Amino acid sequence: MHVAIFGTGYVGLVSGACLAEVGHDVICVDVDQAKIAGLERGVVPIYEPGLEPMVKANHAAGRLKFTTDAARAVADAEVIFIAVGTPPDEDGSADLQYVLAVAHTIGRHLRAPAIVVDKSTVPVGTADRVRETIAAELAARGADIAFDVVSNPEFLKEGAAVEDCMRPDRIVIGSTDPASIEKLRRLYAPFNRNRDRIVAMDVRSAELTKYAANAMLATKISFMNEIANIAERVGADVEQVRRGIGSDPRIGWHFIYPGAGYGGSCFPKDVQALARTAGQHGHEPILLNAVEAVNDRQKAHLFDLLVRHYGAAEALRGKTFAVWGLAFKPDTDDMREASSRRLLQQLWDAGAHVRAFDPEARDEARRIFGQRDDLVLCESAEEALQGADALAVVTEWKQFRSPDFARLREALRDAVVFDGRNLYEPGEIEAEGIAYWAIGRGRSI
Ligand code: NAD
């Protein structure tokens, strides 16, 4: 099938590569000329396991093309994906300017019947706005071309995006047109072989499904962080509580890890956007507001532990902190809304210095923070420890899980570790003479 994809970010590029991998003819469009020029030369702008070889192989095979020329992309596409960003507006609602800009572009260039598929995460009712926008552009140039707008929210996880795309849990298709559903069923058939993953529903339900999924996951995290904060005060260990509740299949093991708060490009903005949608429709989203408030407080928690250890924020002035992990989660270089950004800012505001290491997010950190005297971006976890007073762990990369505690104690002047992801056993690390502060582990407090 001939497929055009607008937006070559995490969603667009991964979807494009996976669709090309199973034999479709894919053309990816972006307004970012540097990104497209890089992709043409085989430079993949994001880190995602397995993505680079897949992009290169399919580009070389001629099944995956890149362009900034929207007219060329739309010319013979049967299916046109919208996979551009939907960042938060000033009031937290989703900013639809990029989605609607693509709708205008499609309307201006459509030459033959096509299905427009909205993969971006968009508020309920957006498919109608996309449809109206395209129809208006067609009418303006007197063109009468059949098209449909379908919602097909994306559920891939950064860090496992290729795997999720090749083996999705479910493929939600929001449409009431049997022909559109059938066309997408054929498009996705290679990913849908051993069982039927397609969940067809009306457009509005599909749009809401994506927000419901992310809000549910964010709720689990904030809930667990609430329990962790209670555990700290009552002298309980949230890790034991986690094991105690996860064994109940109604609760399950996933997404019940306490930590330094959730970040990334999706949970924060999607919880906010859903809350704004609720408010706009006269419903007070009490739970969603609380999920967001708990997370916002939790992002400051690691710094609170530092202050508790040193007695006062003023005591941090002139100290140097090693920080392990900058990305918002492991296996990605994405630092959007990452908890590390809050911690670094708080450390700098307190007059402390940072020696940070992240296996993938170093370039991103350099882009975000630029050159500054109070930040050294290190090449390794070991190097970050050199000359540091203490260590803060912010992202649970696998390579941080089993450090040599004796070497840690020797390297850190104050022999203290602040663990924002509960990676270590308190007894084990404390036995090495290291003071250990973690999230919700009453015994270390
Ligand atoms: P991104 O910011 O990584 O990429 C968006 C791309 O769209 C950029 O390359 C940008 O240059 C391009 N773009 C903007 N306007 C354009 C236009 N008019 N024409 C062509 N390209 C244009 O975004 P992302 O993380 O891939 O997310 C895209 C959407 O998918 C968002 O709505 C997001 O909420 C949703 N989503 C993201 C994830 C994720 O893990 N990142 C998962 C599921 C859903």
Side-chain angles (χ1 to χ4, degrees):
M1 241 179 243
H2 292 285
V3 179
I5 300 182
F6 280 82
T8 52
Y10 287 86
V11 170
L13 186 58
V14 170
S15 303
C18 292
L19 286 166
E21 178 77 6
V22 298
H24 294 300
D25 184 26
V26 180
I27 182 158
C28 291
V29 201
D30 208 289
V31 287
D32 185 335
Q33 296 192 351
K35 201 183 252 192
I36 291 297
L39 283 163
E40 289 266 276
R41 294 194 311 273
V43 180
V44 175
I46 51 171
Y47 173 71
E48 211 33 82
L51 182 61
E52 191 170 304
M54 197 182 259
V55 167
K56 284 182 171 164
N58 285 285
H59 183 52
R63 284 190 301 270
L64 182 60
K65 301 181 193 78
F66 301 103
T67 187
T68 53
D69 182 352
R72 177 184 156 213
V74 170
D76 59 0
E78 300 157 73
V79 179
I80 304 170
F81 281 97
I82 303 177
V84 295
T86 45
D89 225 333
E90 271 159 31
D91 69 347
S93 56
D95 179 352
L96 292 178
Q97 63 167 307
Y98 306 104
V99 169
L100 295 177
V102 174
H104 279 289
T105 304
I106 294 171
R108 279 197 290 272
H109 297 297
L110 202 64
R111 295 273 170 268
I115 298 177
V116 176
V117 182
D118 191 2
K119 226 176 209 327
S120 296
T121 302
V122 291
V124 175
T126 302
D128 293 339
R129 293 182 65 185
V130 168
R131 188 188 309 272
E132 287 157 15
T133 306
I134 296 174
E137 286 289 352
L138 290 175
R141 62 183 170 96
D144 182 17
I145 303 167
F147 73 95
D148 190 22
V149 179
V150 171
S151 167
N152 171 220
E154 179 54 58
F155 297 99
L156 63 76
K157 302 181 285 294
E158 285 181 26
V162 171
E163 174 67 20
D164 286 347
C165 202
M166 295 303 287
R167 269 174 280 279
D169 298 324
R170 77 289 212 193
I171 300 166
V172 170
I173 298 176
S175 171
T176 38
D177 180 344
S180 297
I181 297 172
E182 184 49 35
K183 184 101 174 173
L184 289 194
R185 193 177 267 287
R186 279 199 284 122
L187 180 82
Y188 283 124
F191 309 98
N192 194 34
R193 285 168 64 86
N194 60 356
R195 67 180 167 85
D196 190 7
R197 294 167 164 84
I198 291 187
V199 187
M201 59 181 76
D202 66 85
V203 179
R204 286 178 169 246
S205 301
E207 289 172 332
L208 185 55
T209 295
K210 174 64 193 177
Y211 283 106
N214 275 358
M216 170 62 106
L217 295 170
T219 301
K220 288 185 89 173
I221 296 172
S222 277
F223 173 84
M224 218 48 204
N225 284 333
E226 186 95 285
I227 298 294
N229 289 324
I230 296 170
E232 272 174 25
R233 283 159 182 80
V234 301
D237 178 359
V238 73
E239 287 303 320
Q240 296 185 43
V241 176
R242 181 178 65 76
R243 286 192 281 273
I245 64 172
S247 50
D248 181 336
R250 293 170 303 174
I251 296 172
W253 294 109
H254 296 295
F255 271 78
I256 56 168
Y257 288 90
Y262 60 75
S265 68
C266 292
F267 288 0
K269 83 168 170 60
D270 291 351
V271 171
Q272 275 180 32
L274 183 55
R276 296 311 165 266
T277 298
Q280 284 158 7
H281 289 79
H283 176 74
E284 189 191 354
I286 299 172
L287 179 60
L288 298 176
N289 288 341
V291 167
E292 196 185 337
V294 167
N295 192 58
D296 191 55
R297 188 176 58 186
Q298 198 67 15
K299 282 183 165 175
H301 192 62
L302 210 46
F303 185 78
D304 292 346
L305 294 181
L306 260 83
V307 172
R308 263 149 77 182
H309 178 81
Y310 285 103
E314 294 73 53
L316 304 180
R317 181 164 296 283
K319 287 210 173 281
T320 298
F321 289 89
V323 172
W324 283 359
L326 295 170
F328 85 91
K329 67 174 183 179
D331 293 321
T332 180
D333 58 354
D334 195 344
M335 286 180 59
R336 288 179 282 187
E337 304 280 333
S339 302
S340 64
R341 295 174 73 158
R342 177 81 67 87
L343 177 66
L344 263 54
Q345 196 54 58
Q346 288 176 301
L347 288 171
W348 291 329
D349 290 347
H353 292 253
V354 173
R355 294 178 63 80
F357 169 69
D358 187 283
E360 293 295 338
R362 209 153 51 92
D363 291 348
E364 185 62 0
R366 188 167 294 123
R367 190 186 67 77
I368 292 168
F369 300 127
Q371 198 72 29
R372 39 187 307 161
D373 295 342
D374 46 10
L375 173 66
V376 180
L377 292 169
C378 300
E379 299 283 341
S380 69
E382 285 274 303
E383 190 194 328
L385 300 174
Q386 286 165 24
D389 294 290
L391 167 67
V393 183
V394 190
T395 315
E396 66 276 33
W397 284 92
K398 281 202 185 69
Q399 61 178 274
F400 301 152
R401 284 174 192 246
S402 308
D404 181 333
F405 292 138
R407 297 227 329 248
L408 263 188
R409 196 201 49 237
E410 275 165 34
L412 300 172
R413 260 193 299 268
D414 296 340
V416 55
V417 170
F418 302 91
D419 181 356
R421 300 295 167 188
N422 289 358
L423 297 187
Y424 313 125
E425 269 312 307
E428 217 178 295
I429 186 166
E430 284 162 356
E432 287 290 344
I434 297 172
Y436 181 58
W437 295 77
I439 307 290
R441 312 206 72 173
R443 56 172 306 221
S444 62
I445 285 159

